[in-house]
Amino acid sequence: MKKLAAILLSAAMAVTLVACGGGSTAPASSAPAESAAPAESAEEAAAPAAEGDTIKIGYISDLTGATSLWGTAGQHGAELAIQDINAEGGILGKQVELIAMDGKGEAADSVSALKKMVEENSIVAEIGTNFSSCNIPMASVADEAHVPIIGTAASNELVTVDENGNLHPYSFRMCFIDSYLGTVIGNYATKTLGMKNAALFTVAGNTNSESVGAFIKDAFEANGGTLVAEEQCQEGDVDFRTQLANIGSKNPEIIFVVMNDYAKTATFAKQAREMGIECLLMGHDGWDSAQLAGEAGGALEGCYYVSRIGFNTPEAKAFGERVVAEYGGTMEAECLFGRDGVYWIKDAIERAGSADPEAVRDALEQTDVFEGLIGTLVMDAETHNPSMACAIYECKGDAFEFKEIVEAQ
Amino acid sequence: MFFQQLITGISVGGIYALLATGYSLIYSLLDFSNWSHGEFAMIGAYTAIVFSTVVKAPFALAALAGVAGGALVSFLCERFAYRRIRRNGAPNMFLMIAAMGLSNVFQQASNLIFTGQYRSYPFQLPVSTVKVGSAYIGVLDVVSLLITAVVLMALIYMINKTQFGLNVRAIANNAGAAKVLGIKVDSNIAKVFLLAGSLAGVAGVLYGMKYNVFPTMGNVGLKAFIASVIGGLGSVPGAIVGAMLLGVLETFVSAYISSSLRDFFSFALLIVLLLVKPSGLFGVDVQDKA
């Protein structure tokens, strides 16, 4: 019986996979032609050039697969940044060159791409990938090769610190770890909104929800606030009135709703209003959906969530538009990571006064503040986890609008 | 607080009841648990979505179409899958496996057709609440409970007072003897699938109105199945009582003990009941449960 169920399941999965593949080949198919060519020509061109003539920066991401939409966006951002830098005279008087290789979004391919560019291209540093699953194994390779790597959207804690809590000295990242938003939310609620009593709602067993929730609690209580109610639901729940009745009886001024599913958040808000709970609701990047405000049908009016800044500054928007004008496609925030990665390495090389990978690593680690298009980044030398500026979004009518930037904390 | 939680529990139990009766009806006739039953509710909900968004039918019509959609798919499953397996003389286990397969196929198919996105009906549903004492009762909840009550009472009347109900009870008791006495077994089974499917359709539309419509919403069928076992598989009143009991128990566990222990208590209740009274609260049939 199990066997048959397994066969049926796998058949069903195969059907979905084929269907998914069908949908995503369109954007992917155009990518390899564009991306493979510069990568190869760059390698060929690099070989005859004498060592030290140019500064080579590596870039690894999925350039041909299902997620190449992001991978190529990052590559394009990095290329455009290098064009700009070269036009202004390069770094320390040397021209800069991007070595882009396809990691296919797979750990094994990303690791071999990194080894190849370290051995054959003598890169100074590498940018990417956007996946924790790739950057975790890449971190050990970087440590051995003594070449710094910078993950873009790789948010898992193990990217920069191993299971035993030891730092990977050559592994960095440009995004904040999942739980960081909790601190930002807790601080904003107390310091900016002046909230004293709050309730916390998380999803039991969901690592992201529980860890963000724990950080909200720590920050909120550290600033003198009181958590009057803590409730949880289970994955897949659609009715929250039981927990809401408990929360409502404590009369909180604000409820932190840490769910990663916008429709559940909308249902939560509607049920809260139905039960006469009119207080403010606030959430994390799990609220980041264009549908949320409309789905909530007014129940979230005036409520906030905290997330990345994205294209909400004029500079970031202008750069995103330049990338689209140059390479086509859609505006993907990954292009900002690619661009900022290049500029961060430039900043490190200039501070170190040398393009030696080890010197660059030290300079990256000693970054006080790096002002990029993704926001202000403050490096923590102990963990290599940056604190970053975030954006507050407020619900107005049928959409969430960018409200303000909160600085790194 | 207590009253508020009780109301919530009953309204959750109402949805379970609509589905649990379907499990019971089919089990009473064919001695197997129709694992694709929850998906009939999902299909009903999506049918109503299609009618209200694509065809732009008024909500009452779309809701009726949803009920019909659940009934039709249930009927077709019986006609083209279960009936053939029955005729081959295959063991009941085969029916259950076929049902599991259908359940997967329906879920994946709706994922492909409608994507995993959450959908809601394009109507301003009554979201207002009535305050009774210290409790808030949603108008939508009251409406859906009333509909559930009417539908379930009609069902009980049908099973107990009509010729069709008598036939169904006769087949449930002894299909062979019923056939000898001139009852058309296959056509009555087909009618029961239509009936169970339309109950699931009602559940699906109500569920979609209260929460959202999404491909895995049929998973609520598992809870309904537990309810029908608690009530006694094969017993329609048992399924209703079991569903209400389960809905209220879950709500109280979430409210006064812990939400994360809710399912633990549901399944513990099931296990204890199967140990103490294996036939369930109203059950008649002990062997071959689930």
Side-chain angles (χ1 to χ4, degrees):
Chain A
M1 187 192 102
K2 270 187 183 163
K3 210 173 175 185
L4 196 86
I7 292 169
L8 279 167
L9 261 173
S10 40
M13 274 170 70
V15 168
T16 17
L17 274 177
V18 168
C20 294
S24 54
T25 41
S29 59
S30 63
E34 288 174 46
S35 62
E40 275 163 22
S41 59
E43 278 172 51
E44 282 162 18
E51 292 284 320
D53 277 359
T54 57
I55 290 174
K56 298 191 192 78
I57 295 175
Y59 177 81
I60 301 173
S61 192
D62 179 5
L63 303 180
T64 53
T67 57
S68 56
L69 176 71
W70 298 323
T72 50
Q75 185 192 354
H76 296 155
E79 278 172 6
L80 210 54
I82 286 176
Q83 274 179 28
D84 291 352
I85 290 171
N86 284 341
E88 288 165 16
I91 307 174
L92 300 181
K94 290 180 184 171
Q95 290 288 292
V96 189
E97 192 182 312
L98 188 76
I99 311 288
M101 286 193 193
D102 188 7
K104 297 189 168 65
E106 298 287 341
D109 294 290
S110 303
V111 165
S112 49
L114 177 62
K115 283 182 176 162
K116 192 166 182 240
M117 58 174 65
V118 167
E119 285 162 13
E120 297 181 8
N121 303 97
S122 313
I123 53 163
V124 172
E126 185 269 346
I127 305 164
T129 73
N130 50 337
F131 294 118
S132 298
S133 54
C134 299
N135 275 66
I136 292 171
M138 282 166 72
S140 309
V141 177
D143 287 349
E144 262 173 47
H146 291 247
V147 172
I149 62 171
I150 304 173
T152 56
S155 60
N156 189 290
E157 307 210 11
L158 294 179
V159 167
T160 56
V161 178
D162 70 13
E163 287 92 343
N164 304 321
N166 299 320
L167 181 73
H168 283 299
Y170 285 86
S171 186
F172 296 84
R173 71 173 110 220
M174 282 185 286
C175 60
F176 43 76
I177 55 171
D178 298 338
S179 44
Y180 171 72
L181 277 177
T183 310
V184 178
I185 294 168
N187 287 341
Y188 189 81
T190 43
K191 291 177 180 166
T192 309
L193 302 174
M195 297 290 162
K196 297 270 186 288
N197 300 313
L200 176 63
F201 188 81
T202 53
V203 182
N206 180 309
T207 318
N208 174 271
S209 171
E210 290 193 333
S211 95
V212 172
F215 277 80
I216 294 178
K217 183 181 176 179
D218 287 349
F220 193 77
E221 291 182 341
N223 295 334
T226 316
L227 223 51
V228 292
E230 272 182 79
E231 290 287 334
Q232 289 197 308
C233 70
Q234 291 183 31
E235 212 82 62
D237 279 4
V238 287
D239 200 310
F240 312 107
R241 288 175 295 180
T242 310
Q243 293 91 333
L244 278 166
N246 283 349
I247 290 173
S249 68
K250 304 278 169 49
N251 282 320
E253 296 167 281
I254 185 169
I255 307 174
F256 301 113
V257 188
V258 194
M259 286 197 278
N260 284 309
D261 185 332
Y262 77 88
K264 304 286 167 64
T265 304
T267 307
F268 183 95
K270 284 193 273 191
Q271 289 174 350
R273 304 313 183 214
E274 279 170 32
M275 296 178 72
I277 301 171
E278 297 299 338
C279 73
L280 197 66
L281 307 184
M282 190 170 175
H284 68 322
D285 57 350
W287 285 31
D288 222 333
S289 156
Q291 270 98 15
L292 175 60
E295 184 68 45
L300 282 172
E301 189 64 32
C303 293
Y304 303 107
Y305 75 84
V306 182
S307 186
R308 288 150 198 81
I309 296 169
F311 291 108
N312 281 302
T313 57
E315 297 83 13
K317 190 157 178 275
F319 186 79
E321 283 163 356
R322 259 186 76 198
V323 170
V324 172
E326 192 98 353
Y327 300 93
T330 53
M331 265 206 337
E332 294 296 329
E334 193 66 19
C335 76
L336 302 178
F337 280 116
R339 182 258 176 213
D340 278 2
V342 170
Y343 273 96
W344 190 16
I345 292 168
K346 173 177 184 278
D347 171 64
I349 294 174
E350 283 169 352
R351 275 187 289 119
S354 146
D356 172 55
E358 295 191 31
V360 172
R361 185 215 82 90
D362 293 343
L364 285 172
E365 190 174 83
Q366 287 152 14
T367 306
D368 283 334
V369 174
F370 169 72
E371 298 279 354
L373 293 186
I374 48 172
T376 311
L377 179 152
V378 180
M379 200 59 210
D380 177 5
E382 303 288 310
T383 60
H384 288 190
N385 293 331
S387 306
M388 297 185 64
C390 297
I392 305 285
Y393 297 88
E394 182 180 9
C395 182
K396 285 186 176 164
D398 269 353
F400 273 89
E401 288 175 12
F402 170 74
K403 181 166 187 273
E404 60 178 320
I405 287 178
V406 278
E407 284 312 318
Q409 37 202 269
Chain B
M1 221 0 217
F2 176 84
F3 185 55
Q4 177 82 63
Q5 304 293 14
L6 187 68
I7 299 284
T8 306
I10 291 172
S11 100
V12 171
I15 299 279
Y16 292 168
L18 285 169
L19 285 169
T21 48
Y23 276 105
S24 264
L25 276 172
I26 289 164
Y27 186 87
S28 73
L29 292 185
L30 300 180
D31 278 351
F32 90 100
S33 302
N34 182 15
W35 283 113
S36 59
H37 194 67
E39 267 59 52
F40 300 157
M42 179 267 292
I43 289 165
Y46 272 114
T47 311
I49 289 276
V50 169
F51 266 77
S52 53
T53 54
V54 182
V55 185
K56 307 226 181 291
F59 186 62
L61 198 68
L64 279 179
V67 175
L72 182 70
V73 175
S74 171
F75 171 79
L76 292 176
C77 284
E78 200 283 322
R79 185 69 188 76
F80 292 105
Y82 304 148
R83 186 177 292 185
R84 283 164 187 247
I85 295 171
R86 267 192 350 260
R87 291 222 170 127
N88 289 342
N92 281 357
M93 180 65 85
F94 282 36
L95 289 169
M96 206 171 91
I97 296 164
M100 286 168 131
L102 285 170
S103 160
N104 262 310
V105 167
F106 289 141
Q107 235 179 62
Q108 301 297 341
S110 67
N111 232 330
L112 290 179
I113 299 170
F114 300 104
T115 74
Q117 203 196 326
Y118 292 82
R119 287 165 200 274
S120 44
Y121 297 111
F123 302 103
Q124 200 53 50
L125 296 161
V127 287
S128 53
T129 47
V130 188
K131 200 168 181 214
V132 183
S134 62
Y136 289 91
I137 302 172
V139 172
L140 192 58
D141 272 324
V142 176
V143 172
S144 89
L145 258 183
L146 281 178
I147 294 172
T148 306
V150 169
V151 168
L152 292 178
M153 278 193 282
L155 173 69
I156 289 175
Y157 176 82
M158 212 189 281
I159 296 294
N160 289 318
K161 302 283 180 195
T162 64
Q163 181 62 43
F164 164 68
L166 190 63
N167 292 349
V168 169
R169 279 181 291 141
I171 298 167
N173 207 293
N174 189 332
K179 196 171 183 181
V180 170
L181 291 170
I183 295 174
K184 289 177 181 155
V185 174
D186 274 349
S187 91
N188 275 298
I189 288 177
K191 279 182 203 160
V192 165
F193 269 89
L194 266 178
L195 180 63
S198 55
L199 290 170
V202 175
V205 173
L206 290 179
Y207 189 96
M209 273 161 67
K210 279 210 259 188
Y211 312 114
N212 280 293
V213 179
F214 48 99
T216 52
M217 65 185 279
N219 290 350
V220 69
L222 178 64
K223 288 294 175 59
F225 172 73
I226 297 174
S228 70
V229 177
I230 291 171
L233 262 174
S235 158
V236 170
I240 298 171
V241 173
M244 291 299 173
L245 206 65
L246 187 65
V248 172
L249 173 89
E250 283 192 344
T251 309
F252 280 109
V253 170
S254 301
Y256 298 110
I257 302 172
S258 157
S259 327
S260 26
L261 289 178
R262 188 194 60 206
D263 288 353
F264 168 79
F265 274 85
S266 308
F267 286 100
L269 171 72
L270 178 71
I271 292 166
V272 169
L273 204 92
L274 287 176
L275 288 173
V276 178
K277 199 173 180 330
S279 57
L281 296 174
F282 292 64
V284 278
D285 191 4
V286 181
Q287 77 268 46
D288 206 5
K289 199 157 290 287

